[in-house]
Amino acid sequence: MNGNNILLVEDEPHIARGLIFNLEEEGFKVTHAENGEAALQFFDEHSFGLVVLDLALPGIDGLEVCRQIRGKDPRQPILMLTARSEERDRIEGLSAGADDYLTKPFSLDEFLLRVRGILRRSEWYRPEPASEDIHQFGKNRVDLQHHLATTAQGDISLTELEVRMLRTFFDQEGEVLSRAHLLESVWGMAPDTETRTLDNFIVRMRKYFEDNPARPVHFQTVRGRGYRFSRKS
Ligand code: CA
């Protein structure tokens, strides 16, 4: 997805011209489609940080274009433009998969605000590159992005806290992590909090990932200091 490229789908020339001019002033690169068919073709051939989509188009209408784009890419940010303010249109647009909508006539300031808002949110939600989130050690393969672990015992779906703990260990492989450090980075707890939760988590990690949980090689206890993760078997 290229955050700087915007696909503008708008059949009214004077509106399109105004939007293109202002988006380009803001540093965006705009691809203009005058109808739904052209929009879908551009969408197949290029990648866009945002699709600005007019609802009322000749031929395939905006709702259908929106549904088709959603079908191809569930994460594609879409801002829908509608000339009608009826709630039905708004609900239809949002249920067809638009992230946000603007009712015509709107000010250019408002338009640019929405554009920047959607792009900022999509930046937040963008997942880490998948390759960085796959970790292999022993007989285990852990996919943090999808909360999935494949172990000698089969597939395990990981909780949010388990993912956070594993990420903390993976990021600091070979280092001794104190209980205080783990409590703070996984649970966000004050370091002096007294809790058995951490120990229970470690027990669970060993049950999932160790050949012999009683003699752990990956999730090691460092007496008096904390825990250490190692990929080596
Ligand atoms: Ca129109």
Side-chain angles (χ1 to χ4, degrees):
M1 195 187 295
N2 188 330
N4 222 32
N5 283 2
I6 293 183
L7 175 60
L8 172 67
V9 192
E10 171 60 79
D11 59 310
E12 288 151 82
H14 71 284
I15 295 180
R17 268 199 302 277
L19 298 183
I20 292 168
F21 177 81
N22 280 275
L23 287 168
E24 288 181 345
E25 284 282 287
E26 292 282 306
F28 294 108
K29 189 168 169 287
V30 183
T31 300
H32 179 209
E34 292 176 1
N35 56 56
E37 288 83 352
L40 291 170
Q41 189 166 348
F42 281 130
F43 187 78
D44 282 341
E45 292 165 359
H46 305 279
S47 103
F48 299 97
L50 174 65
V51 177
V52 178
L53 179 59
D54 187 29
L55 179 67
L57 294 168
I60 310 176
D61 75 358
L63 285 179
E64 185 53 31
V65 174
C66 189
R67 276 190 208 101
Q68 291 201 24
I69 288 179
R70 261 295 155 267
K72 294 170 200 278
D73 182 357
R75 293 177 191 276
Q76 173 64 54
I78 301 171
L79 171 63
M80 193 165 272
L81 308 179
T82 160
R84 295 160 292 185
S85 61
E86 283 112 55
E87 192 170 28
R88 187 173 49 85
D89 292 328
R90 183 174 66 87
I91 290 169
E92 273 193 333
L94 293 175
S95 68
D99 297 282
D100 202 352
Y101 76 101
L102 259 181
T103 304
K104 292 176 182 174
F106 48 79
S107 74
L108 282 165
D109 283 346
E110 193 182 0
F111 172 71
L112 292 172
L113 265 177
R114 295 293 178 94
V115 166
R116 282 193 289 260
I118 292 186
L119 287 174
R120 199 168 49 236
R121 290 199 296 274
S122 70
E123 201 67 39
W124 290 340
Y125 295 149
R126 190 168 302 173
E128 302 275 301
S131 62
E132 286 182 17
D133 256 0
I134 307 266
H135 302 263
Q136 283 178 295
F137 57 96
K139 299 188 178 88
N140 312 292
R141 182 182 186 277
V142 179
D143 178 345
L144 292 182
Q145 186 185 345
H146 298 103
H147 291 211
L148 260 178
T150 308
T151 74
Q153 309 161 52
D155 289 348
I156 294 165
S157 81
L158 302 165
T159 67
E160 183 62 37
L161 281 171
E162 288 167 347
V163 164
R164 255 147 70 183
M165 167 167 281
L166 287 167
R167 179 168 282 134
T168 304
F169 274 118
F170 294 159
D171 285 350
Q172 296 167 89
E173 188 191 352
E175 290 171 37
V176 180
L177 307 180
S178 68
R179 296 174 51 86
H181 177 79
L182 284 166
L183 282 171
E184 205 174 8
S185 43
V186 179
W187 282 271
M189 284 179 182
D192 55 351
T193 308
E194 189 58 46
T195 176
R196 294 283 302 163
T197 314
L198 174 60
D199 306 284
N200 292 334
F201 260 77
I202 299 288
V203 168
R204 208 179 324 158
M205 294 296 115
R206 289 172 177 163
K207 244 169 41 196
Y208 288 167
F209 300 118
E210 300 282 0
D211 282 349
N212 179 359
R215 299 187 61 127
V217 296
H218 300 297
F219 295 89
Q220 305 158 352
T221 300
V222 183
R223 278 189 70 174
R225 293 175 61 204
Y227 297 99
R228 178 170 54 209
F229 171 73
S230 168
R231 267 166 225 269
K232 298 186 199 111
S233 292

